[in-house]
Amino acid sequence: MIPTWAQIGYLVSAVCFIVALKALSSPRSARSGNLIGAAGAALAVIITFAAYKPDHLAPILIALVIGTVGGVVGSRRVQMTQMPQLVALFNGVGGGAAALVALLELGEVPADATVAAIATAFTILVGAVSFSGSVVTFAKLQELMTTRPVTFPGLPVLFVASLLGGVALAVWLVSDPRVWVGVLLCLLGLAIGVMLVLPVGGADVPIVISLLNAFTGLTVAAGGYVLGNTLLLIAGTLVGAAGTLLTKLMADAMGRSVFNILFGAVRGGSTLGGGTASERPVISGGPEDVAILLGYANKVIIVPGYGLAVAQAQHTLRDLVEELQSRGVKVDYAIHPVAGRMPGHMNVLLAEAQVPYDQLREMDDINGDFKTTDVVLVVGANDVVNPAARTTPSAPIYGMPILNADEAQRVIFLKRSMRPGFAGIENELLYDPKTTLLFGDARDSLTKLLAALKTV
């Protein structure tokens, strides 16, 4: 029986998680929200040790130290461009841990506790799916494997058969909770997770990370029911609900259904284009040419993308914007919901450079301003301003809401090369007569552009 003081402590931890989730919805409060959530988790761990007085304390503490050191070192060393991979790994570890705990609890499930047995089977199956699927998403984002959809003949049949087999094994486990049946269910879940993510193209992987995060949350909630731990039930439900909503919002931002994102390649479509560079002529310029366009503009919109993060050019971009503003130029940043590799990627990147929050404007808020904008400066973005989303039904991004950069008077692209964006398709805006390309590393190009602007 959990002592009353421990239940009150768990309630405080749960409130911390709820407050943290609310705070994370705004860049202004995200940092404090993260700290509140971490404090709630630390409090829950301390209460668990004090209330339950677990056996085998030494190996548990050793595992905690190893995990803490690994988490701190990994989080501090990871680059902003690799944050989605880190999220995928952390998410996978959560799902795998929930599955292992459920396996260990199989022998403790009473014969007449049907609901507990169902929750255990669910945790094993879905936790295993989340673990293996998250590992594949990590491999795709880290480019340890191809980012293109991976399919093979018979994949749909094998996937459906595996799902049916998983359901059958889960039913068997509920009626006869044997450990070896649970192990088989776990192994089948691992296979399902791999087959679920393999057909997903690289541009859609962040959405799958969010979906798998929801899976992990649900397994933690189910595990909380099995263990009789209300805090796990609350925390898991919060993660599951937030992950589900985020997945839906991201899919809507790309103008596609979650089903299409997961199974579009299996059904014969593709979530990734050809990925080859075009030989078509474009208008290119030097830093001096671009500086003149920016220096004599009245209104400029910056469209940041993944290339900005790769080049770590956010501080130089802020300096360029400050120089423009000192000349009386109105400057805003246009933030697309799926710019970068995860939701909020650009917000966090620019906040790191101390860019004021009121300059960061979301797509729906700023799209109407492009028609009255003199110059749009696209830094490391491509797919989020690609008109093919409106004009080319065969394009993998067709139907995705985009930033209306093509409606501005002039467009400037900072690009390393003519290689397509992450969706692997050409951007017709690059070949528009009003578009000028400045080739090179984004930080180097912005440094030269800032120097040239000061002489205009």
Side-chain angles (χ1 to χ4, degrees):
M1 186 66 180
I2 303 177
T4 302
W5 65 266
Q7 294 181 9
I8 295 174
Y10 280 154
L11 179 61
V12 173
S13 294
V15 171
C16 286
F17 295 155
I18 295 171
V19 172
L21 190 60
K22 175 61 178 176
L24 289 171
S25 63
S26 170
R28 294 182 183 275
S29 56
R31 182 177 178 84
S32 59
N34 201 27
L35 293 174
I36 292 171
L43 176 62
V45 171
I46 294 172
I47 291 173
T48 300
F49 274 98
Y52 288 96
K53 297 180 176 58
D55 298 328
H56 312 294
L57 188 60
I60 292 175
L61 291 176
I62 292 173
L64 275 175
V65 170
I66 293 174
T68 301
V69 171
V72 170
V73 173
S75 298
R76 293 184 67 86
R77 289 187 177 181
V78 68
Q79 298 179 9
M80 184 59 65
T81 52
Q82 298 175 326
M83 193 61 69
Q85 291 94 303
L86 184 69
V87 172
L89 277 182
F90 283 175
N91 174 64
V93 168
L100 288 176
V101 169
L103 277 173
L104 292 174
E105 288 295 314
L106 268 178
E108 306 297 325
V109 177
D112 57 344
T114 304
V115 177
I118 292 174
T120 303
F122 174 86
T123 303
I124 293 172
L125 177 60
V126 180
V129 171
S130 179
F131 174 76
S132 61
S134 296
V135 170
V136 177
T137 60
F138 169 82
K140 282 179 175 279
L141 290 173
Q142 195 67 18
E143 297 185 357
L144 299 177
M145 62 179 294
T146 178
T147 58
R148 297 184 63 82
V150 177
T151 60
F152 53 85
L155 175 59
V157 175
L158 183 59
F159 182 74
V160 172
S162 298
L163 284 178
L164 294 175
V167 173
L169 280 174
V171 172
W172 186 356
L173 190 66
V174 170
S175 61
D176 187 12
R178 296 176 182 269
V179 175
W180 67 269
V181 179
V183 172
L184 283 179
L185 182 61
C186 184
L187 293 175
L188 191 56
L190 294 174
I192 292 172
V194 172
M195 288 187 286
L196 179 68
V197 180
L198 279 181
V200 178
D204 295 330
V205 166
I207 297 178
V208 178
I209 291 177
S210 178
L211 179 64
L212 293 174
N213 184 53
F215 285 0
T216 295
L218 293 174
T219 60
V220 170
Y225 180 85
V226 173
L227 296 172
N229 190 307
T230 305
L231 181 62
L232 283 178
L233 188 59
I234 295 173
T237 302
L238 288 172
V239 173
T244 301
L245 289 173
L246 181 58
T247 302
K248 181 64 169 60
L249 290 172
M250 291 177 68
D252 289 345
M254 297 188 72
R256 296 161 59 200
S257 67
V258 176
F259 185 87
N260 176 266
I261 290 167
L262 292 174
F263 305 111
V266 173
R267 298 170 63 189
S270 175
T271 57
L272 200 64
T276 58
S278 174
E279 299 295 330
R280 296 162 61 187
V282 296
I283 300 173
S284 62
E288 295 79 12
D289 304 314
V290 174
I292 291 173
L293 290 173
L294 291 172
Y296 288 98
N298 293 314
K299 184 176 180 181
V300 173
I301 293 179
I302 311 290
V303 179
Y306 185 68
L308 177 69
V310 171
Q312 286 294 288
Q314 62 270 26
H315 297 279
T316 312
L317 178 61
R318 179 205 61 198
D319 293 341
L320 177 69
V321 170
E322 289 179 348
E323 176 65 22
L324 287 171
Q325 290 176 323
S326 70
R327 294 167 171 263
V329 180
K330 176 176 171 52
V331 185
D332 286 310
Y333 295 82
I335 308 299
H336 191 280
V338 294
R341 293 293 183 267
M342 63 188 299
H345 199 167
M346 294 300 102
N347 301 72
V348 173
L349 189 73
L350 294 170
E352 181 185 314
Q354 304 299 314
V355 173
Y357 296 126
D358 56 6
Q359 289 184 21
L360 308 183
R361 297 177 61 190
E362 300 298 328
M363 178 180 65
D364 293 339
D365 176 49
I366 201 171
N367 252 352
D369 290 4
F370 283 98
K371 290 180 180 180
T372 58
T373 298
D374 298 306
V375 181
V376 171
L377 179 63
V378 183
V379 187
N382 189 79
D383 298 325
V384 297
V385 294
N386 192 341
R390 297 196 223 102
T391 62
T392 310
S394 61
I397 63 171
Y398 182 70
M400 179 179 84
I402 61 169
L403 293 165
N404 298 330
D406 56 321
E407 296 179 353
Q409 299 300 311
R410 297 297 298 265
V411 180
I412 300 168
F413 271 88
L414 268 58
K415 288 181 67 67
R416 283 179 175 271
S417 68
M418 287 301 295
R419 289 186 59 188
F422 211 44
I425 58 174
E426 284 188 346
N427 188 344
E428 290 298 323
L429 186 56
L430 298 175
Y431 309 100
D432 193 300
K434 67 182 178 183
T435 298
T436 301
L437 277 72
L438 178 58
F439 289 106
D441 174 80
R443 183 162 59 178
D444 182 56
S445 293
L446 287 169
T447 301
K448 294 177 180 178
L449 182 54
L450 177 59
L453 181 62
K454 290 179 178 179
T455 65
V456 173

